Amino acid sequence: MKKIRIVTWPSILTLMFACVLTVSCEKEKLDDRAFEGVDIVGVKINGDLFLPQNNDQSVVVTLPAGQDLSRVNLQLLVANGELVGFENSREYDCRKPLNIQLKGADGSQREVTLKVQSPPALASFIIEGLAVEADHIHFAEASLIVQVPEGTDLSNLAVTLEFLNGTLVDFANGQADDYTEPKSLTLLAVDEETRYTYDFIITTQDVGPASVQGMTINGVPTDSVVVVESSTLVPYITGLADFSAADVVLETGFGNRLDPAFTGKGLNLLAGDNQVKITGSDGIEKTFTIARPRLSLTPLVEKTYNQFGFGANDMAGVAFSGNHIVIANYSAVAPTEIGPNYYDLDGKPVGMLDKTGVEIAHSLRKLASDDEGRLLVVSLGITSDQQTIYRWDNVTAKPVPYITYSKATLGIDANPRTAGINITGSLDGDAIITVGLAQRSEVYVWKVQGGVLNKTPSKFAIPFDRTAYYWSVEPMPIGTDGYVSAIVGNSFSGIASLTSTFDADFQQSGIMTSDCKIKEYNGRTYLAYTAYVSGKGALFRICDITDGGANSYQQPIFEKWMASGEPNGNNTMDADMAVINGKLHAVFACTNIGLQLYKLEN
């Protein structure tokens, strides 16, 4: 019940009656309507003013628990009438209801029952032969929970309870009983009518303030819930789920009570602002905010850079092809040098792509795969001669020339040095292929429709000057306009969301990343990328960017750190996603640091 402290009682009376008279006069002037009914609008108890709960028959005032109701100084504030036969500012025994006669300003009379209530308060708690600390006894609105020392035998305890404003019903003090399971405790109030029921629990478990121990999100359990800034809950979940429409079940602390208004149904956890109220066993209610979930995953494969046997700065790109991971490296010069190599999903080396007929002046450095694992691999290509992008339909297939270009056909004034290559869609269906040029802003876009390649690319420019040697533009899924660029450059380094005409829609700076992958899966759109942190290692990230908002890029749903003090001399890193055996997988790679492979679903 809300309590209001006032300076003087007469000033409140004067103000409220003035308001009543003013309103009444105005009503008489306008439409001569009848007075409103007489009612008790305030109750002053021992100097404190309370606002009562009213209905036609009763006026109820609730005081804090354990108050002495036998001698209460009462003052009643009446609107639209007056008290009959009741003397204000004197002591009354309020342990039982009081009948109050009221006379309205319109001449009507009514009787109401005034109920002044103070719930029971625990006066003493004793367990025979056992010392119980006071701060381990938690008496709240609907529960009495007592924490006893670990190892206590709960099956034979003799408990004695004493309460203010309450008498035990059907409970024998001092009689041994089994408390291994919760009991129900009922108290009869001093009015000998009202009954209060409590869950009575004696436990060896830790009890206390409101807390959340775990969650289940769309049937997938969390392995931890981290509390940030005392009231923000970050759930770490063991498998990918649709966090935009989540059914959430909370596992609260022992003896906690969850606000029944929280159903946990259909929550958009990506918003990061869902709130829930929980009352601890200490009786204190606390509001928690559920933050955007994070995936808590263990890599299927984790290989440090030196386990590959590559030279320094040699790893350039990574892609899925079927049940294999393909790695492009700088030293993969056709046809004699080793690479690109492919590995199984246990990280074991299996073989090397067939380079029969491949003619390049420089190494096969960047690669990408389509939805079915078909590979496109591009060489560095810094001569004016015709350059070729080769296609492998799988890791054991022979290469075929797929796209050719040159300084002349691209319409540029310098020899084309490729910065990266990306694919979305299917090369045997509909696909978009992008190739950016090193240290330039040009991006070339080829489209595939019905398995037929349009050999004439469209030319665009990203809105950033002076890129580095390696960067990329990843098309959004087929049917969705726009691109996402992973850029290392002089004027900007980071992730940028671009429109279909390559205007900047959103950009997040301060990230060193040169490649990324977008995958549409189960109605959601995910972005994966590797971010290099100089002198420290690499961050592997996945974001749910379905809504296209800035927060989606800024707050990843997965982030894993791989430490290394080795420098990434050319700033080459990559990530890929693919559905393998019906489950979404992600692989991340960073030169001089290493590789990690994840299955994102249980």
Side-chain angles (χ1 to χ4, degrees):
M1 176 64 62
K2 185 176 181 182
K3 184 172 75 173
I4 304 174
R5 293 193 178 274
I6 59 176
V7 178
T8 62
W9 179 252
S11 63
I12 292 293
L13 286 172
T14 303
L15 177 60
M16 294 193 71
F17 278 119
C19 292
V20 171
L21 290 173
T22 300
V23 171
S24 298
C25 291
E26 287 297 318
K27 287 186 175 182
E28 287 180 343
K29 282 183 186 179
L30 293 173
D31 55 13
D32 197 27
R33 286 181 293 183
F35 284 99
E36 294 181 0
V38 61
D39 213 346
I40 297 174
V41 295
V43 179
K44 194 174 185 183
I45 297 176
N46 298 331
D48 292 322
L49 179 63
F50 293 84
L51 302 181
Q53 293 179 331
N54 296 30
N55 58 38
D56 290 341
Q57 289 81 33
S58 64
V59 177
V60 180
V61 178
T62 303
L63 306 182
Q67 300 293 304
D68 182 7
L69 301 180
S70 64
R71 299 180 64 183
V72 176
N73 187 291
L74 279 182
Q75 292 175 286
L76 306 182
L77 175 61
V78 179
N80 299 323
E82 59 185 16
L83 295 164
V84 178
F86 183 89
E87 183 181 347
N88 263 330
S89 301
R90 54 156 286 194
E91 289 184 348
Y92 289 87
D93 184 350
C94 292
R95 288 176 293 182
K96 300 290 178 63
L98 301 175
N99 294 325
I100 308 296
Q101 300 293 327
L102 301 173
K103 181 179 179 180
D106 59 357
S108 63
Q109 293 191 4
R110 63 185 292 239
E111 181 179 281
V112 296
T113 300
L114 174 64
K115 296 180 180 180
V116 179
Q117 297 180 333
S118 173
L122 182 65
S124 68
F125 181 92
I126 299 172
I127 298 179
E128 184 178 331
L130 189 66
V132 181
E133 298 179 24
D135 59 357
H136 287 174
I137 301 171
H138 305 280
F139 185 54
E141 182 180 352
S143 63
L144 171 58
I145 304 176
V146 180
Q147 179 183 334
V148 295
E150 187 177 352
T152 299
D153 181 5
L154 303 180
S155 65
N156 188 35
L157 298 177
V159 178
T160 299
L161 304 168
E162 291 184 4
F163 293 88
L164 301 175
N165 291 353
T167 303
L168 288 164
V169 177
D170 296 330
F171 183 90
N173 269 328
Q175 181 175 309
D177 206 344
D178 185 353
Y179 288 91
T180 54
E181 297 293 334
K183 292 183 178 297
S184 181
L185 196 67
T186 300
L187 296 176
L188 182 64
V190 292
D191 62 7
E192 297 182 353
E193 294 179 0
T194 306
R195 289 176 178 252
Y196 296 90
T197 301
Y198 304 89
D199 293 325
F200 182 23
I201 301 170
I202 301 178
T203 179
T204 57
Q205 298 187 46
D206 290 337
V207 297
S211 64
V212 174
Q213 309 299 320
M215 298 184 196
T216 300
I217 301 174
N218 285 348
V220 181
T222 59
D223 65 357
S224 65
V225 176
V226 177
V227 182
V228 180
E229 296 179 350
S230 79
S231 62
T232 298
L233 307 172
V234 182
Y236 283 79
I237 187 169
T238 57
L240 190 66
D242 183 356
F243 299 132
S244 70
D247 290 342
V248 178
V249 178
L250 298 180
E251 178 190 343
T252 60
F254 188 85
N256 287 191
R257 287 186 292 109
L258 188 66
D259 182 359
F262 179 81
T263 65
K265 300 293 185 181
L267 302 182
N268 179 13
L269 295 181
L270 295 175
D273 59 359
N274 292 279
Q275 293 190 330
V276 56
K277 295 179 180 179
I278 301 172
T279 301
S281 55
D282 56 6
I284 299 175
E285 182 182 79
K286 186 173 183 179
T287 299
F288 293 93
T289 300
I290 305 175
R292 181 177 294 229
R294 293 287 189 96
L295 295 179
S296 178
L297 305 173
T298 301
L300 299 178
V301 174
E302 181 173 17
K303 294 172 74 74
T304 60
Y305 188 75
N306 58 16
Q307 290 179 286
F308 289 98
F310 296 146
N313 300 313
D314 201 20
M315 182 185 288
V318 64
F320 285 111
S321 181
N323 291 329
H324 296 90
I325 301 167
V326 185
I327 298 176
N329 54 296
Y330 289 179
S331 58
V333 178
T336 58
E337 297 296 328
I338 295 174
N341 302 296
Y342 58 93
Y343 301 75
D344 64 20
L345 297 184
D346 293 323
K348 298 176 182 178
V350 178
M352 180 179 61
L353 293 186
D354 187 339
K355 296 195 291 290
T356 302
V358 172
E359 295 182 2
I360 57 173
H362 295 274
S363 58
L364 292 166
R365 298 198 173 188
K366 296 298 291 183
L367 80 168
S369 61
D370 73 354
D371 289 346
E372 279 75 43
R374 302 177 186 90
L375 296 164
L376 294 183
V377 187
V378 63
S379 68
L380 182 61
I382 54 175
T383 70
S384 59
D385 296 334
Q386 179 173 283
Q387 310 296 325
T388 301
I389 298 174
Y390 289 91
R391 168 175 167 169
W392 283 260
D393 282 347
N394 54 63
V395 293
T396 60
K398 292 189 178 299
V400 294
Y402 190 68
I403 294 174
T404 58
Y405 60 90
S406 66
K407 170 182 174 179
T409 60
L410 295 182
I412 57 175
D413 56 4
N415 295 334
R417 177 173 179 146
T418 52
I421 185 169
N422 297 75
I423 310 169
T424 188
S426 169
L427 295 178
D428 282 351
D430 295 336
I432 299 174
I433 304 163
T434 60
V435 173
L437 298 186
Q439 296 185 296
R440 301 176 68 94
S441 61
E442 287 92 345
V443 181
Y444 295 89
V445 178
W446 286 266
K447 291 191 175 181
V448 179
Q449 291 182 309
V452 178
L453 171 70
N454 183 347
K455 297 183 179 181
T456 302
S458 299
K459 180 180 179 181
F460 297 94
I462 60 171
F464 307 104
D465 296 329
R466 190 61 179 173
T467 59
Y469 285 109
Y470 296 96
W471 58 277
S472 66
V473 173
E474 172 76 8
M476 293 294 287
I478 299 297
T480 305
D481 291 334
Y483 302 84
V484 173
S485 185
I487 298 173
V488 178
N490 290 350
S491 64
F492 173 78
S493 291
I495 293 287
S497 172
L498 307 175
T499 68
S500 58
T501 56
F502 282 78
D503 296 317
D505 181 52
F506 159 76
Q507 60 196 59
Q508 184 179 359
S509 62
I511 301 172
M512 192 77 72
T513 182
S514 60
D515 215 333
C516 61
K517 179 66 176 183
I518 293 173
K519 185 71 176 178
E520 187 176 36
Y521 182 69
N522 287 343
R524 309 299 299 174
T525 302
Y526 299 102
L527 165 70
Y529 67 91
T530 297
Y532 168 63
V533 181
S534 180
K536 296 182 178 179
L539 283 169
F540 305 141
R541 288 176 174 154
I542 297 175
C543 304
D544 184 327
I545 61 169
T546 308
D547 66 3
N551 284 341
S552 299
Y553 292 83
Q554 295 168 339
Q555 300 180 32
I557 61 172
F558 174 77
E559 185 172 78
K560 190 66 176 287
W561 177 256
M562 191 171 188
S564 174
E566 294 298 321
N568 185 336
N570 291 324
N571 291 323
T572 51
M573 58 222 79
D574 204 351
D576 197 16
M577 289 184 287
V579 178
I580 301 173
N581 299 326
K583 302 291 185 180
L584 186 62
H585 288 63
V587 62
F588 303 88
C590 189
T591 195
N592 294 345
I593 294 175
L595 174 147
Q596 289 183 353
L597 166 68
Y598 291 91
K599 183 171 70 171
L600 304 182
E601 301 173 272
N602 289 324

